[in-house]
Amino acid sequence: MKTTAPGDTAPRTTPPRTAARRTTAARTTAVRTAAARTAALAAVVVTIGLLPWLSGKDAALSVLRARSAEQVATEEALTAIRDDLGLGAGPLTLLGRWTAGVLQGDLGVSWVSGTEVLPSVLLGLGVSLALMGASLAVALLVALALCTGTVVRGARGTLRRGGTGGAPAAMLASVPEFLLATVLLIALGVWLGLLPTSGWQGPSSMVLPALAMGVPAGGLLGRLVDDALPAVFAERWVALWRASGVSPWRIACAALRRSMPAIVPQFGLVGVGLTGGAVAVETVFAVPGIGRTALGAAKAQDLPLLQGAVLALLVLGLTAGVLSHLVRARLLGPGLRDAALALPAPPRAPAGRAARTVPVVLAGLLTAGTGWGLLRDPFTVDVTARLSAPSWAHPLGTDGLGRDVLARLGHGAAATVGVALAVCLISCLFALAVGFLPSLSAGAADIANALPPVIVGILVAAALGPGTAGASVAVALISWPPLAAHASALVQETRAAGFLTAQKAIGSTPWWILTRHILPAVAGPVGRHALLRLPGIALALASLGFLGLGAQPPAPEWGLLLDESRAYVERAPWAALAPAAALALLAGFAVSLSSVTAPGRRTGTVPAGVAA
């Protein structure tokens, strides 16, 4: 087997025994990943099958209310429904019957409508896949626009290390999807009448939902690509190409291709999240997608429809996970197999004065606003001043009940930021831990990412009850997969660097290699990625609170402020813009601070004697 490592001029021969060991290891990894996916899939299916019993609610009563809200819930009516649905047989019997039907291609019959589940699931999945494609197109355009400056400067050799660290991209990623959807609906749909505001009539119906979901997703992907590019432009081959007269255009294309392996899993995760996690946007625009179908089935405890919808999301998540891993392996080529990759992390130059000023300014704005709001009462209701415009008495105006928006914003900062930060930290630490076990974590990550937050929230609330604790657990359960995928990709690439082979040859211990080279190369990018997701975690917690599964009114929580202001965003936009601006400032502060304080990465410095 012949391979050529970067910087080598002659082919290098891989010993047959080494090749055989790598083939065996690859097969073992594939078997472990498949087993992990199967176990995670079975665990989710069983949990969903137990939903009526976990929730403690009478499934017959929920189905009765869903079938006919006016019908009196007499004991005779409930008994008839239990006999019709076979609830007396118990959860395991029902789960066994459903599994046997799935193996035969039958997803059962809806408990509410009495129609076949499979056509409803296929219809919702088709709508969501079309919307996902349009949203990804928007996201790619946004991501390309955000990282164009870095690509151009890097290809020309004028890229300066340090900087704001993509704060604009982080602010875009923190835009609440449901708020953006509402604003687009009012501005482009109602005021200008340019596009349909609800339903699913054709391609024109995809424009507004795709913009609402694609812009935040593009901010996230653009930030990740922009974070990976400086490391690529610092590799030796870029300097050699530039010295050889290769055009900046070819260098830029090659650099983008080189930066993609660590980012490709994120594209798959984002795509699946856009399919099943777009419940709020689908609700705003009345889009009959798979996420909205699953949410409606969960509320009505329509178990067959819920199981079918979630199964479709899980299969989609597994498919996207497998495809992203195959694409990533194809992009890396033989370099990953033969431990011939360049080091992925160059040392950082100290940030300039302008870069250090950005987090200070953003932190000052957040602190000033929070402190000013804490001096006011967030619960005082004044119906005579409802929806008042900003004034000296109410600097940010009032909401629909006449409560001071500034006061509610300040008092909600601790709960919103504190809980989100705790969930973010737990997710980051867990992702770093499982990133070293990709064969076991990949399957579970694909399954967890395919579940919409609201569905997980309903399952967790059924076991723990509604509240902030249950919502935190639910969000933590689905927040770690993107971070784990990022960590796993970086661990694999760092382990495949030829420099680590030299470290082993000179007698470096595994602990030294782990703590001095692998962890520093992985922890920095994953930590910045986690900070980028902090506002999204806060919004996920808020969305669960809106559905009655998390923080409850009249708590002054930022996400709840956004949800409450949607009904009158046209008349009083300041009530929605205040928490949205606070989340954007939080995102910009977190990312710019991480860029300034990120330590130099030691894996980018090859000790004397090893470079030879």
Side-chain angles (χ1 to χ4, degrees), residues 2 26 39 49 130 168 348 484 510 573:
K2 301 284 187 178
R348 287 180 172 266

Side-chain angles (χ1 to χ4, degrees), residues 279-447:
V279 179
V281 175
E282 290 178 355
T283 301
V284 171
F285 293 103
V287 176
I290 191 69
R292 188 172 174 226
T293 300
L295 177 60
K299 288 183 175 179
Q301 293 204 37
D302 190 349
L303 197 56
L305 183 57
L306 176 62
Q307 288 173 318
V310 173
L311 181 63
L313 290 172
L314 296 180
V315 171
L316 177 64
L318 291 175
T319 303
V322 171
L323 289 178
S324 64
H325 290 309
L326 292 176
V327 171
R328 178 174 175 272
R330 177 67 177 173
L331 288 173
L332 285 173
L336 181 64
R337 180 193 63 211
D338 298 329
L341 291 181
L343 294 178
R348 287 180 172 266
R353 179 179 299 177
R356 292 194 297 268
T357 303
V358 172
V360 175
V361 173
L362 296 179
L365 292 174
L366 284 171
T367 304
T370 300
W372 196 2
L374 290 174
L375 301 177
R376 298 167 173 264
D377 186 357
F379 300 109
T380 298
V381 176
D382 184 5
V383 293
T384 61
R386 62 187 304 269
L387 301 181
S388 297
S391 62
W392 180 253
H394 303 287
L396 295 180
T398 61
D399 62 8
L401 296 177
R403 296 172 298 189
D404 188 83
V405 173
L406 178 60
R408 295 182 63 75
L409 192 70
H411 284 266
T416 303
V417 180
V419 175
L421 188 60
V423 172
C424 184
L425 179 60
I426 293 172
S427 300
C428 183
L429 294 177
F430 184 73
L432 286 174
V434 302
F436 288 87
L437 302 171
S439 59
L440 298 179
S441 63
D446 294 336
I447 295 294

Side-chain angles (χ1 to χ4, degrees), residues 4 44 65-66 73 101 159 191 210 261 321 340 343 366 373 386 425-426 458 466 546 565 568 583:
T4 303
V44 172
R65 291 284 181 252
L159 182 63
W191 289 349
L343 294 178
L366 284 171
R386 62 187 304 269
L425 179 60
I426 293 172
I458 290 173
F546 177 70
S565 63
Y568 44 83
L583 286 168

